[in-house]
């Protein structure tokens, strides 16, 4: 059965003509898988007036781009996008099909997997292949995130997975790279659509700034209570950082859900990441381990957060934080608004 | 109008422990709760019931007989009726087999009382996949809308609902033709305290329990472990990172060392006097 299915595909998510970062990262990860399997790597691109994006998809590693360009595909909707992706997958039969674990990528992959009656692994953070069996090994944190599980789909094709943003690495774009563009037509009518997009509102809210922040101060349950958590805000304000929290802290109601960092929250890659009173459960670590510099402050010397930390301070956060705030205050300028702007850009 | 909310019983993942020797869940270590996102879905149905008259709320769950507890919990929040499908044939289901079993139960519920809307939580906290909701919608051929943060309009007359759907950087405002399926985020509402009459009703309530034989036109090869394309290959703790430098000395010295290192490596990020 699986002999008929060949090639690695990546769904290229675009919004208003701009390709999502995770799609480019997946082209990098997909390139590795395709090379191991000795097959080609293809991007799947749907939208309105998106042909111009094919060049970029190829430059980031694709050998082929399957394109469906149609006015009804202007904005993402499950019904229309699903139809296009299923048409392509049934016709060209890839063995592996990857999607970014964004709201749209997860939504699309779930619908497509149901119609193709195939397996789908959610929120993958590691990808590999078993060459002999041509099996995708999609691994993800499981059971609240203290352990990794490798999920296999042995008998159904394509093998599908959604992959967390910012955990795979995009290749350096090569503008000389050649590729093939395959355009496909589809029958779609706006009047058949049961979902209408009334408007799209861009919101540069807290979570957006968290994803873009250059410095993040993240607090965990080790701070003890919500009152002590104000020290996190104080440090953030002094150095111009954004504030985040662990799942525990959000579940306890100390912070809004948008500020949760980890597998089920935001994945962040700041230049400097303070993990204060954070134990370092796997589900948290996958959301921050690609930060440039990680500082761990925790009184438990054996906490796993120290394994990923660049600098570790074993000590009580309630003792260390006030000292840190005080010493930073002494050497940094007090520019109020400008300071809190410094960590963002 | 008939709203069905799909609910799942999950171990409280904040508390659950892994047996380090076998790498399996120690389920006894954590209490079983109503998946928090599903609680918000039930609450949203209750909110809609307040907005327009004649809303009937059913909840549906798949699980062992103990899952009765979360159906009772849903009645406390304000559901009118509860269904539980419980059978060994459903055991070991992945998301594809789960959406198949639930869609068969939903077809049966619809034959008793036609369904206008299905609500699900964004995902369950034990699996974190978010795949079952859209899967059910596809099987019933109704439009799915995931990640809903607000229901802004509900028109029984036009059979439409307008919702805000969360995106990576903002939201979409969508008008959807009913019947439809929505999956909700936590920020959609606040869970309210249960009124006493609900508590009393829930305490006495026994849900409708169906086995696989009670459902119609079921292809048993699509159920449970047999009907699941994905399997868990192995469980492992990820490779340990090296770990960096532990700062030494008194608290004051450690803090001073840290600031020195940061300013050396990332001076551009800080406004030094």
């Amino acid at each position: 059965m699986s002999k008929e299915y060949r090639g690695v595909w990546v769904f290229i998510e675009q919004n208003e003509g701009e390709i999502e970062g995770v799609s480019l990262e997946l082209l990098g990860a997909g390139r590795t898988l395709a090379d191991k399997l000795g097959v080609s790597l293809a991007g799947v691109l749907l939208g309105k007036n998106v042909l111009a994006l094919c060049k970029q998809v190829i430059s980031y590693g694709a050998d082929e781009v399957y394109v469906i360009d149609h006015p009804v595909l202007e904005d993402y909707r499950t019904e229309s996008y699903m139809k296009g992706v299923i048409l392509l997958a049934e016709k060209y039969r890839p063995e592996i099909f990857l999607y970014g674990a964004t709201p749209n990528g997860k939504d699309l992959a779930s619908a497509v997997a149901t119609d193709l009656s195939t397996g789908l692994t959610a929120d993958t953070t590691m990808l590999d292949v078993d060459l002999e069996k041509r099996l995708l090994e999609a691994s993800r944190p499981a059971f609240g995130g203290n352990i990794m599980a490798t999920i296999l789909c042995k008998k159904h094709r394509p093998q599908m997975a959604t992959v967390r943003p910012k955990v795979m690495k995009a290749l350096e774009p090569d503008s000389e790279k050649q590729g093939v563009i395959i355009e496909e037509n589809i029958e779609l009518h706006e009047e058949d659509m049961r979902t209408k997009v009334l408007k799209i509102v861009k919101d540069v809210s807290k979570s957006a700034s968290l994803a873009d922040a250059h410095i993040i101060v993240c607090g965990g349950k080790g701070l003890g209570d919500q009152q002590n958590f104000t020290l996190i805000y104080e440090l953030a304000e002094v150095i111009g950082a954004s504030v985040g929290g662990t799942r525990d802290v959000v579940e306890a109601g100390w912070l809004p859900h948008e500020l949760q960092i980890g597998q089920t929250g935001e994945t962040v890659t700041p230049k400097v990441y303070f993990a204060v009173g954070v134990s370092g459960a796997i589900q948290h670590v996958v959301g921050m381990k690609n930060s440039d510099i990680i500082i761990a402050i925790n009184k438990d010397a054996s906490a796993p957060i120290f394994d990923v930390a660049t600098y570790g301070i074993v000590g009580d956060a309630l003792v260390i934080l006030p000292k840190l705030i005080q010493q930073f205050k002494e050497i940094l300028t007090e520019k109020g608004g400008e300071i809190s702007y410094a960590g963002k850009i | 109008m008939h709203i069905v909310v799909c609910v799942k019983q999950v171990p409280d993942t904040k508390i659950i422990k892994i047996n380090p020797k076998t790498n399996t869940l120690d389920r006894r270590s954590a209490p079983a709760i109503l998946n928090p996102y599903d609680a918000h879905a039930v609450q949203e149905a209750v909110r809609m019931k307040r907005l327009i008259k004649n809303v009937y709320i059913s909840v549906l769950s798949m699980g062992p007989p103990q899952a009765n507890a979360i159906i009772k919990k849903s009645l406390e929040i304000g559901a009118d009726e509860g269904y539980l499908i419980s059978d060994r044939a459903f055991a070991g289901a992945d998301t594809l087999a789960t959406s198949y079993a639930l869609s068969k139960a939903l077809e049966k519920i619809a034959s008793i009382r036609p369904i206008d809307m299905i609500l699900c939580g964004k995902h369950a906290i034990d699996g974190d996949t978010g795949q079952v909701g859209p899967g059910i919608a596809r099987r019933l051929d109704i439009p799915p809308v995931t990640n809903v943060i607000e229901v802004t309009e509900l028109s029984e007359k036009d059979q439409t609902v307008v919702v805000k759907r969360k995106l990576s950087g903002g939201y979409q405002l969508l008008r959807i033709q009913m019947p439809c399926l929505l999956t909700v985020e936590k920020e959609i509402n606040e869970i309210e305290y249960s009124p006493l009459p609900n508590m009393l009703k829930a305490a006495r309530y026994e849900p409708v329990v169906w086995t696989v034989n009670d459902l119609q036109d079921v292809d048993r090869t699509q159920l449970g472990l047999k009907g699941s394309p994905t399997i868990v290959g192995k469980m492992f703790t990820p490779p340990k990172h090296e770990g960096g430098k532990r700062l030494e000395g008194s608290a004051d010295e450690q803090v001073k060392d840290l600031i020195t290192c940061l300013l050396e490596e990332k001076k551009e990020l800080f406004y030094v006097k």
Side-chain angles (χ1 to χ4, degrees):
Chain A
M1 171 273 308
S2 59
K3 268 184 192 148
E4 308 162 40
Y5 291 80
R6 279 292 178 269
V8 177
W9 282 17
V10 172
F11 174 68
I12 306 297
E13 183 175 346
Q14 58 83 26
N15 289 302
E16 294 176 11
E18 201 173 316
I19 296 177
E20 289 280 320
V22 67
S23 302
L24 303 177
E25 293 157 20
L26 284 186
L27 286 171
R31 185 73 262 168
T32 309
L33 300 179
D35 289 345
K36 279 189 183 173
L37 289 165
V39 294
S40 64
L41 173 70
V44 174
L45 180 60
L46 278 69
K48 178 187 169 190
N49 300 332
V50 289
L51 265 176
L53 297 176
C54 291
K55 230 179 129 125
Q56 191 187 354
V57 176
I58 292 165
S59 72
Y60 275 88
D63 304 304
E64 293 139 17
V65 190
Y66 294 95
V67 191
I68 303 181
D69 205 301
H70 196 288
V72 172
L73 297 171
E74 179 168 10
D75 296 314
Y76 175 79
R77 280 175 289 182
T78 323
E79 345 178 42
S80 52
Y81 270 64
M82 181 197 82
K83 225 173 160 182
V85 168
I86 289 170
L87 176 131
L88 291 169
E90 286 182 335
K91 185 166 175 183
Y92 296 101
R93 299 169 158 247
E95 60 196 301
I96 291 172
F97 199 166
L98 308 174
Y99 305 72
T102 58
N104 290 350
K106 291 188 67 156
D107 181 285
L108 176 65
S110 304
V112 170
T114 309
D115 277 53
L116 296 179
S117 278
T118 193
L120 171 63
T121 305
D123 295 287
T124 310
T125 58
M126 286 168 74
L127 292 170
D128 204 349
V129 282
D130 174 341
L131 273 183
E132 198 186 322
K133 296 178 182 148
R134 298 187 81 83
L135 275 181
L136 176 68
E137 297 174 326
S139 303
R140 66 187 302 257
F143 305 132
N146 281 309
I147 199 157
M148 296 285 286
T150 302
I151 313 294
L152 308 172
C153 174
K154 290 185 171 170
K155 293 181 186 154
H156 297 72
R157 294 291 179 276
Q159 308 165 83
M160 307 219 306
T162 59
V163 182
R164 293 285 299 179
K166 298 189 180 179
V167 295
M168 303 293 163
K169 288 249 170 352
L171 302 172
E172 280 299 312
D174 171 7
S175 57
E176 304 290 306
K177 190 173 185 306
Q178 298 295 307
V180 183
I181 296 167
I182 301 124
E183 274 193 83
E184 205 66 39
N185 292 315
I186 191 167
E187 186 86 10
L188 284 175
H189 303 284
E190 187 53 51
E191 54 274 23
D192 297 336
M193 295 293 129
R194 293 171 289 183
T195 315
K196 304 283 178 195
V197 181
L198 305 179
K199 66 174 173 183
I200 293 175
V201 179
K202 291 226 173 99
D203 178 19
V204 193
S205 67
K206 291 167 197 159
S207 71
S209 75
L210 194 57
D212 297 335
H214 286 195
I215 311 177
I216 291 174
V217 184
C218 174
K221 208 62 186 288
L223 284 158
D225 60 38
Q226 191 165 12
Q227 180 58 35
N228 294 336
F229 202 86
T230 52
L231 287 169
I232 297 289
Y233 280 101
E234 222 176 299
L235 174 62
E237 203 181 323
V238 170
I239 60 177
S242 295
V243 169
T246 61
R247 182 176 186 151
D248 284 348
V249 158
V250 170
E251 298 283 343
W254 301 357
L255 270 190
H257 187 70
E258 313 89 82
L259 300 183
Q260 182 180 324
I261 295 168
Q263 174 79 358
T264 50
E266 291 287 318
T267 302
V268 296
T269 53
K271 303 266 194 291
V272 178
Y273 188 91
F274 287 87
V276 186
V278 173
S279 66
I282 292 165
Q283 70 90 6
H284 180 73
V285 169
V286 296
M288 47 63 82
K289 67 174 179 200
N290 290 335
S291 309
D292 278 7
I293 294 180
I294 296 169
I295 298 136
I297 301 170
N298 199 307
K299 60 183 157 198
D300 175 8
S302 63
I305 191 71
F306 287 114
D307 299 336
V308 295
T310 324
Y311 299 109
I313 294 181
V314 178
D316 187 345
L318 303 182
V319 175
I320 304 292
L321 277 179
K323 292 184 189 297
L324 200 53
I325 291 164
Q326 187 52 39
Q327 291 200 23
F328 264 127
K329 268 189 182 162
E330 282 166 19
I331 57 162
L332 300 182
T333 55
E334 267 188 67
K335 281 191 180 171
E338 281 183 59
I339 286 182
S340 63
Y341 188 73
K344 289 168 191 170
I345 297 175
Chain B
M1 184 170 149
H2 186 199
I3 302 175
V4 182
V5 187
C6 297
V7 295
K8 185 181 184 188
Q9 189 175 44
V10 296
D12 193 337
T13 50
K14 281 187 306 228
I15 304 169
I16 200 154
K17 294 190 172 59
I18 307 276
N19 181 332
K21 286 197 181 112
T22 56
N23 274 350
T24 53
L25 274 186
D26 181 8
R27 285 193 182 266
R28 284 164 307 174
S29 68
I33 56 169
L34 170 62
N35 177 43
Y37 291 92
D38 302 348
H40 287 276
V42 178
Q43 184 69 60
E44 194 60 16
V46 171
R47 207 182 65 86
M48 287 188 227
K49 185 171 180 164
R50 243 177 252 148
L51 286 178
I52 57 171
K53 287 172 196 154
N54 297 325
V55 172
Y56 192 81
I57 304 168
S58 302
V59 295
L60 166 65
S61 188
M62 177 170 97
Q66 306 88 283
N68 265 359
I70 59 154
I71 289 178
K72 282 173 179 279
K73 179 75 197 163
S74 303
L75 261 80
E76 287 178 12
I77 300 172
D80 298 297
E81 187 88 80
Y83 299 89
L84 174 67
I85 56 169
S86 193
D87 199 304
R88 292 182 74 112
F90 302 132
D94 72 356
T95 56
L96 194 75
T98 301
S99 70
Y100 180 73
L102 289 174
S103 69
K104 287 294 158 191
L106 287 160
E107 283 172 5
K108 175 143 180 174
I109 294 171
S111 72
I112 299 166
R113 190 190 288 266
I115 301 170
D116 301 283
M117 187 187 290
I118 299 170
L119 295 178
C120 300
K122 177 179 84 159
H123 63 223
I125 59 167
D126 59 345
D128 287 337
T129 73
Q131 291 170 185
V132 172
I136 292 169
R138 282 309 306 145
R139 293 184 182 283
L140 300 176
D141 193 23
I142 59 174
V145 176
T146 51
N147 307 85
V148 172
I149 49 173
E150 191 183 334
V151 175
T152 60
E153 272 178 59
L154 180 62
S155 167
E156 205 180 7
K157 184 166 73 66
D158 302 338
Q159 281 282 298
T160 59
V161 55
V162 177
V163 305
K164 286 182 183 171
R165 171 173 182 259
K166 191 181 191 173
L167 296 174
S168 303
Y171 66 87
Q172 275 180 322
L173 192 68
L174 299 165
R175 173 174 288 127
I176 312 129
Q177 191 66 50
M178 291 195 269
C180 63
L181 180 144
L182 312 179
T183 80
V184 308
E185 300 268 356
K186 278 185 182 172
E187 57 252 56
I188 195 163
N189 55 40
E190 296 275 334
I191 306 286
E192 298 166 13
Y193 286 104
S194 303
L196 189 62
N198 289 7
M199 308 279 278
L200 294 175
K201 186 184 172 192
R204 285 192 296 264
Y205 186 78
E206 285 303 321
V208 181
V209 181
W210 288 330
T211 67
V212 66
N213 291 325
D214 295 315
L215 305 179
Q216 271 88 52
D217 304 321
V218 176
D219 171 8
R220 282 173 182 257
T221 65
Q222 293 193 53
L223 291 175
L225 202 57
K226 264 198 312 241
S228 300
T230 59
I231 57 157
V232 178
K234 61 169 189 264
M235 306 282 280
F236 62 101
T237 32
K240 279 212 169 171
H241 298 262
E242 288 265 313
K245 186 176 164 191
R246 295 269 173 121
L247 301 172
E248 308 281 344
S250 70
D252 284 304
E253 286 164 353
Q254 291 186 49
V255 167
K256 194 162 178 242
D257 278 359
L258 175 64
I259 292 176
T260 309
C261 294
L262 279 178
L263 292 182
E264 235 166 63
E265 293 178 58
K266 298 285 174 191
K267 188 152 201 270
E268 71 279 8
L269 294 178
F270 299 94
Y271 283 125
V272 180
K273 276 177 187 164

